[in-house]
Amino acid sequence: MVDGEPLVILVLALAPGIFWAWYFYHRDKFEPEPAALIVKIFLLGVLVTFPVAFVEGFFGLFIVSPLIMGVVIAPIVEESGKFAVVRRFAYRDTEFDEPMDGIVYAAAAALGLASIENVLYVFLAYATSPSLALGTIVVRAIFSVPGHALFSGVWGYALGRAKFAAPEQRSGIVLRGLALAMVLHGIFNFLLFSAEIVAYAMAVFILILIPGLWILANRNIRDALDYERR
Protein backbone atom coordinates (compact mmCIF):
# COMPACT_ATOMS: atom_id res chain seq x y z
CA MET A 1 0.00 0.00 0.00
CA VAL A 2 1.42 3.39 -1.01
CA ASP A 3 1.51 6.03 1.73
CA GLY A 4 -1.40 8.41 1.32
CA GLU A 5 -3.13 6.19 -1.24
CA PRO A 6 -6.25 5.57 0.89
CA LEU A 7 -6.67 9.32 1.35
CA VAL A 8 -6.48 9.86 -2.40
CA ILE A 9 -9.04 7.10 -2.94
CA LEU A 10 -11.32 8.69 -0.33
CA VAL A 11 -11.12 12.10 -2.02
CA LEU A 12 -11.82 10.55 -5.42
CA ALA A 13 -14.76 8.60 -3.99
CA LEU A 14 -16.31 11.77 -2.54
CA ALA A 15 -15.61 13.93 -5.60
CA PRO A 16 -18.51 12.70 -7.80
CA GLY A 17 -21.15 13.53 -5.17
CA ILE A 18 -19.73 17.02 -4.69
CA PHE A 19 -19.47 17.59 -8.44
CA TRP A 20 -23.06 16.51 -9.14
CA ALA A 21 -24.37 18.58 -6.21
CA TRP A 22 -22.60 21.58 -7.76
CA TYR A 23 -24.09 20.70 -11.16
CA PHE A 24 -27.70 20.55 -9.96
CA TYR A 25 -27.24 23.65 -7.80
CA HIS A 26 -26.21 25.62 -10.88
CA ARG A 27 -29.19 24.43 -12.90
CA ASP A 28 -31.26 26.93 -10.88
CA LYS A 29 -30.51 29.91 -13.09
CA PHE A 30 -32.83 32.57 -11.72
CA GLU A 31 -32.76 32.48 -7.94
CA PRO A 32 -30.07 30.12 -6.60
CA GLU A 33 -30.52 28.82 -3.08
CA PRO A 34 -28.17 29.85 -0.24
CA ALA A 35 -25.05 27.71 -0.50
CA ALA A 36 -25.05 27.18 3.27
CA LEU A 37 -28.52 25.60 3.13
CA ILE A 38 -27.48 23.35 0.25
CA VAL A 39 -24.45 22.19 2.24
CA LYS A 40 -26.67 21.57 5.26
CA ILE A 41 -29.08 19.40 3.26
CA PHE A 42 -26.15 17.56 1.66
CA LEU A 43 -24.68 16.79 5.10
CA LEU A 44 -28.08 15.71 6.40
CA GLY A 45 -28.23 13.39 3.40
CA VAL A 46 -24.94 11.95 4.63
CA LEU A 47 -26.32 11.49 8.15
CA VAL A 48 -29.59 9.90 7.02
CA THR A 49 -27.51 7.12 5.48
CA PHE A 50 -27.11 5.59 8.94
CA PRO A 51 -30.80 5.17 9.87
CA VAL A 52 -31.44 4.08 6.28
CA ALA A 53 -28.76 1.39 6.63
CA PHE A 54 -30.24 0.33 9.98
CA VAL A 55 -33.74 -0.06 8.51
CA GLU A 56 -32.41 -1.95 5.49
CA GLY A 57 -30.41 -4.18 7.82
CA PHE A 58 -33.53 -4.88 9.87
CA PHE A 59 -35.46 -5.96 6.77
CA GLY A 60 -32.44 -8.01 5.76
CA LEU A 61 -32.96 -10.16 8.84
CA PHE A 62 -36.23 -11.42 7.36
CA ILE A 63 -35.68 -11.14 3.61
CA VAL A 64 -32.96 -13.42 2.29
CA SER A 65 -33.33 -12.50 -1.38
CA PRO A 66 -30.75 -9.90 -2.50
CA LEU A 67 -33.00 -9.16 -5.47
CA ILE A 68 -35.97 -8.18 -3.29
CA MET A 69 -33.71 -6.19 -0.98
CA GLY A 70 -32.13 -4.31 -3.88
CA VAL A 71 -35.16 -3.82 -6.09
CA VAL A 72 -37.94 -3.29 -3.52
CA ILE A 73 -36.66 -2.53 -0.04
CA ALA A 74 -33.65 -0.34 -0.84
CA PRO A 75 -35.54 2.05 -3.19
CA ILE A 76 -38.41 2.48 -0.73
CA VAL A 77 -36.20 3.03 2.31
CA GLU A 78 -33.59 5.22 0.61
CA GLU A 79 -36.04 7.49 -1.20
CA SER A 80 -38.09 7.82 2.00
CA GLY A 81 -34.99 8.78 3.96
CA LYS A 82 -33.89 11.41 1.46
CA PHE A 83 -37.43 12.75 1.20
CA ALA A 84 -37.68 13.04 5.00
CA VAL A 85 -34.56 15.24 5.06
CA VAL A 86 -35.92 17.70 2.50
CA ARG A 87 -39.46 17.67 3.85
CA ARG A 88 -38.29 18.33 7.40
CA PHE A 89 -35.37 20.70 6.93
CA ALA A 90 -35.93 22.55 3.63
CA TYR A 91 -39.60 22.52 2.68
CA ARG A 92 -40.69 24.91 5.44
CA ASP A 93 -37.73 27.25 4.95
CA THR A 94 -38.56 30.65 3.47
CA GLU A 95 -35.87 30.02 0.84
CA PHE A 96 -38.01 27.21 -0.59
CA ASP A 97 -40.04 29.61 -2.69
CA GLU A 98 -40.19 28.10 -6.19
CA PRO A 99 -40.67 24.64 -7.75
CA MET A 100 -37.04 24.40 -8.87
CA ASP A 101 -35.99 24.46 -5.22
CA GLY A 102 -37.51 21.03 -4.69
CA ILE A 103 -35.22 19.56 -7.35
CA VAL A 104 -32.13 21.30 -5.99
CA TYR A 105 -32.71 20.25 -2.38
CA ALA A 106 -33.67 16.71 -3.38
CA ALA A 107 -30.46 16.40 -5.38
CA ALA A 108 -28.40 17.72 -2.45
CA ALA A 109 -29.88 15.20 0.01
CA ALA A 110 -29.59 12.38 -2.51
CA LEU A 111 -25.96 13.14 -3.27
CA GLY A 112 -25.09 13.25 0.41
CA LEU A 113 -26.38 9.70 0.77
CA ALA A 114 -24.82 8.67 -2.56
CA SER A 115 -21.41 9.98 -1.45
CA ILE A 116 -21.26 7.73 1.61
CA GLU A 117 -22.57 4.81 -0.42
CA ASN A 118 -19.86 5.51 -2.99
CA VAL A 119 -17.12 5.52 -0.37
CA LEU A 120 -18.32 2.12 0.85
CA TYR A 121 -18.33 0.53 -2.62
CA VAL A 122 -15.01 2.08 -3.60
CA PHE A 123 -13.20 0.87 -0.48
CA LEU A 124 -14.67 -2.60 -0.86
CA ALA A 125 -13.15 -2.58 -4.35
CA TYR A 126 -9.91 -1.11 -2.98
CA ALA A 127 -9.58 -4.09 -0.65
CA THR A 128 -9.11 -6.15 -3.82
CA SER A 129 -6.90 -3.73 -5.75
CA PRO A 130 -6.37 0.01 -6.33
CA SER A 131 -7.10 -0.40 -10.04
CA LEU A 132 -10.49 -1.96 -9.27
CA ALA A 133 -11.23 0.95 -6.92
CA LEU A 134 -10.41 3.47 -9.66
CA GLY A 135 -12.62 1.62 -12.12
CA THR A 136 -15.44 1.60 -9.56
CA ILE A 137 -15.05 5.35 -9.04
CA VAL A 138 -15.34 6.03 -12.78
CA VAL A 139 -18.36 3.79 -13.39
CA ARG A 140 -20.25 4.96 -10.31
CA ALA A 141 -19.43 8.62 -11.01
CA ILE A 142 -21.19 8.29 -14.36
CA PHE A 143 -24.15 6.13 -13.36
CA SER A 144 -24.88 5.38 -9.71
CA VAL A 145 -24.02 8.69 -8.02
CA PRO A 146 -25.99 10.95 -10.40
CA GLY A 147 -28.65 8.23 -10.49
CA HIS A 148 -29.55 9.01 -6.89
CA ALA A 149 -30.06 12.68 -7.79
CA LEU A 150 -32.14 11.73 -10.83
CA PHE A 151 -34.45 9.47 -8.81
CA SER A 152 -34.89 11.99 -6.02
CA GLY A 153 -35.30 14.86 -8.44
CA VAL A 154 -38.61 13.25 -9.44
CA TRP A 155 -40.14 13.62 -5.97
CA GLY A 156 -38.25 16.91 -5.52
CA TYR A 157 -40.03 18.34 -8.54
CA ALA A 158 -43.33 17.01 -7.19
CA LEU A 159 -42.63 18.57 -3.80
CA GLY A 160 -41.85 21.89 -5.46
CA ARG A 161 -45.05 21.79 -7.50
CA ALA A 162 -47.11 20.74 -4.49
CA LYS A 163 -46.00 23.69 -2.40
CA PHE A 164 -47.65 26.06 -4.87
CA ALA A 165 -50.67 23.88 -5.69
CA ALA A 166 -54.10 23.97 -4.10
CA PRO A 167 -53.98 22.40 -0.60
CA GLU A 168 -56.27 19.53 -1.53
CA GLN A 169 -53.93 18.53 -4.40
CA ARG A 170 -50.62 18.55 -2.52
CA SER A 171 -50.62 15.08 -0.98
CA GLY A 172 -51.51 13.41 -4.26
CA ILE A 173 -48.81 15.25 -6.19
CA VAL A 174 -46.13 14.36 -3.64
CA LEU A 175 -47.17 10.71 -3.27
CA ARG A 176 -47.18 10.18 -7.04
CA GLY A 177 -43.73 11.75 -7.34
CA LEU A 178 -42.34 9.69 -4.48
CA ALA A 179 -43.83 6.47 -5.86
CA LEU A 180 -42.40 7.15 -9.34
CA ALA A 181 -38.95 7.82 -7.86
CA MET A 182 -39.07 4.51 -5.98
CA VAL A 183 -40.15 2.64 -9.12
CA LEU A 184 -37.37 4.18 -11.21
CA HIS A 185 -34.84 3.42 -8.49
CA GLY A 186 -36.08 -0.15 -8.39
CA ILE A 187 -35.82 -0.55 -12.18
CA PHE A 188 -32.29 0.88 -12.05
CA ASN A 189 -31.26 -1.69 -9.45
CA PHE A 190 -33.10 -4.51 -11.21
CA LEU A 191 -31.24 -3.92 -14.46
CA LEU A 192 -27.92 -3.88 -12.63
CA PHE A 193 -28.78 -7.18 -10.93
CA SER A 194 -30.00 -8.67 -14.20
CA ALA A 195 -26.92 -7.58 -16.14
CA GLU A 196 -24.94 -10.34 -14.44
CA ILE A 197 -27.36 -12.92 -15.87
CA VAL A 198 -28.97 -11.41 -18.97
CA ALA A 199 -26.65 -9.63 -21.38
CA TYR A 200 -29.22 -7.28 -22.89
CA ALA A 201 -30.15 -5.88 -19.47
CA MET A 202 -27.02 -3.72 -19.52
CA ALA A 203 -27.92 -2.47 -22.98
CA VAL A 204 -31.38 -1.48 -21.73
CA PHE A 205 -29.73 0.17 -18.72
CA ILE A 206 -27.26 2.25 -20.75
CA LEU A 207 -29.29 2.95 -23.90
CA ILE A 208 -32.81 3.40 -22.49
CA LEU A 209 -33.02 3.89 -18.72
CA ILE A 210 -30.13 6.33 -18.20
CA PRO A 211 -31.05 8.60 -21.14
CA GLY A 212 -34.70 8.39 -20.07
CA LEU A 213 -33.84 9.53 -16.54
CA TRP A 214 -31.88 12.50 -17.88
CA ILE A 215 -34.68 13.42 -20.30
CA LEU A 216 -37.19 13.34 -17.43
CA ALA A 217 -34.90 15.37 -15.18
CA ASN A 218 -34.28 18.01 -17.85
CA ARG A 219 -37.99 18.24 -18.63
CA ASN A 220 -38.79 18.77 -14.95
CA ILE A 221 -36.04 21.37 -14.61
CA ARG A 222 -37.29 23.17 -17.70
CA ASP A 223 -40.87 23.18 -16.43
CA ALA A 224 -39.76 24.41 -13.00
CA LEU A 225 -37.72 27.23 -14.54
CA ASP A 226 -40.63 28.17 -16.79
CA TYR A 227 -42.72 28.60 -13.65
CA GLU A 228 -40.15 31.07 -12.32
CA ARG A 229 -40.35 33.15 -15.48
CA ARG A 230 -44.09 33.74 -15.04
Side-chain angles (χ1 to χ4, degrees), residues 101-179:
D101 296 349
I103 298 174
V104 173
Y105 290 123
L111 291 164
L113 183 147
S115 294
I116 296 303
E117 183 182 80
N118 207 44
V119 168
L120 174 62
Y121 278 103
V122 167
F123 273 93
L124 285 173
Y126 182 68
T128 300
S129 72
S131 60
L132 181 60
L134 291 174
T136 301
I137 288 169
V138 172
V139 172
R140 289 185 59 82
I142 296 171
F143 298 114
S144 299
V145 175
H148 272 284
L150 295 173
F151 310 141
S152 298
V154 174
W155 58 252
Y157 173 64
L159 194 62
R161 283 182 51 222
K163 187 161 187 178
F164 306 98
E168 65 274 11
Q169 298 177 340
R170 291 174 185 169
S171 294
I173 293 172
V174 172
L175 289 175
R176 286 192 296 272
L178 191 55

Side-chain angles (χ1 to χ4, degrees), residues 36-53:
L37 186 53
I38 296 297
V39 171
K40 174 184 175 181
I41 297 301
F42 181 93
L43 293 176
L44 287 168
V46 170
L47 291 177
V48 83
T49 305
F50 299 99
V52 162

